[in-house]
Amino acid sequence: MKKSISLVLVTWLFLPCLGLDVETIKQIRQKAEQYYPQALTLRRHLHQCPELCFQEKETSEFIATFLEKLGLKVQTGIAGTGIKAILRGTRKKPVFAIRADMDALPITEQTDFPYASRNPGNMHACGHDAHMTNVLITAKILSDLRDRIPGTIVFIFQPCEEGPPPNQPGGAQAMIQEKVLRNPLVNAILGLHVLPGIPVGSIGIRTGPIMANVASFYVNIFGKASHGAFPHQGIDAIYVASSAIQQFQSLISRFRDPKEPAVLSVGKIKGGVRMNVIAEKVELEGTVRTFSFELQDKIAEGIEKILKGLAVAYGITYRFTFSKDAPFVYNDPELTEFFIPVFENILGKNQVQKVKPMCIAEDFSYYSHQIPTVFFFLGTGDTSPLHTPTFSVDEKILKIGPMLFAGAAIAYLEGFQP
Ligand SMILES: [Zn+2]
Ligand SMILES: [Zn+2]
């Protein structure tokens, strides 16, 4: 009787559980717990030295040093500050990649943490400090389990996710151009973003498009100056701009199929000289978010038509630029369906939430238009919104992210059959 119980127990422990056996999950969980104090130190150090788009020099050196100490093959200087580290397991193939972004934002931190930003005006207000820490701890856990990894794992640390200067490729594009997904040829890639509003210990995921196509538009409206008391002698660029902003919203409310999500927001307006001068020039900047390129094109054409109409009606001239930025992030259906039960086994079934597509953007999309990808949101609870001066992650996620990354990597290499 005793013998048969032991046999059942042993069989249960090593039973393949949707690509991941129970013993492996236990080991990963123990290691994430064991390395948690180090995760806190890493994240707080990275949080203190936020660096902007393509300037992540100190961050990059810190990460490379950590990865080299793990014995990984580390390549630095990709797209400037980007890093790729290779962990060889018991076989060369398949190759699975995990990606973190490294850049911070030009925001002045307003928290009381002893580890608040020491770079005035810069802040990790998008949680990329936590993203980097998650991948570093994942690399440490998987290095420990190297003998049990039937394939190769590539850790990617990319610069400049938050958006490059106009007309320059961002971090993901630049890394791809410098062949980060080659040598070894990466078969699939996984990424995450922290997200307030989802409880700590839960994630949000979906198959298909998960984040939006993003475009920015820039409009200059040129009128004619005159005295504010004689508006009929000028062409009021402010009046025309206000009309333009109102009419742009009709592209969402009147010209779009309501079943298809889309957003148009004008985020910046600048114009005029003083209270009693009819403004000669107004500049507008805005963003358009969609989940199809067709709708993106339709909205761009619509903006131009509205401007042409205003030119006829009021006699303005205009300059209009529409710039297509990151495309939508697409979660490969088969790969996502493969990972969902793996994540459920690690976190619990109710902790894996199926989310709707979100209109935020991620340049992870560039990977997802090259190879099969999965991207998910790591819940960070009830914190200030992303991109605000009081944003902070709940540090418990520094245990959860590595468990999910490490579990997914092993499950994929052991059992994914495309
Ligand atoms: Zn951001
Ligand atoms: Zn971000």
Side-chain angles (χ1 to χ4, degrees), residues 69-90:
K69 280 186 188 157
L70 295 179
L72 306 190
K73 188 180 165 206
V74 179
Q75 184 187 348
T76 59
I78 309 169
T81 52
I83 295 171
K84 168 177 164 181
I86 299 169
L87 172 65
R88 296 269 185 215
T90 54

Side-chain angles (χ1 to χ4, degrees), residues 101 126 128 161-162 193:
D101 38 11
C126 200
H128 299 184
E161 187 282 325
E162 292 290 357
H193 205 294

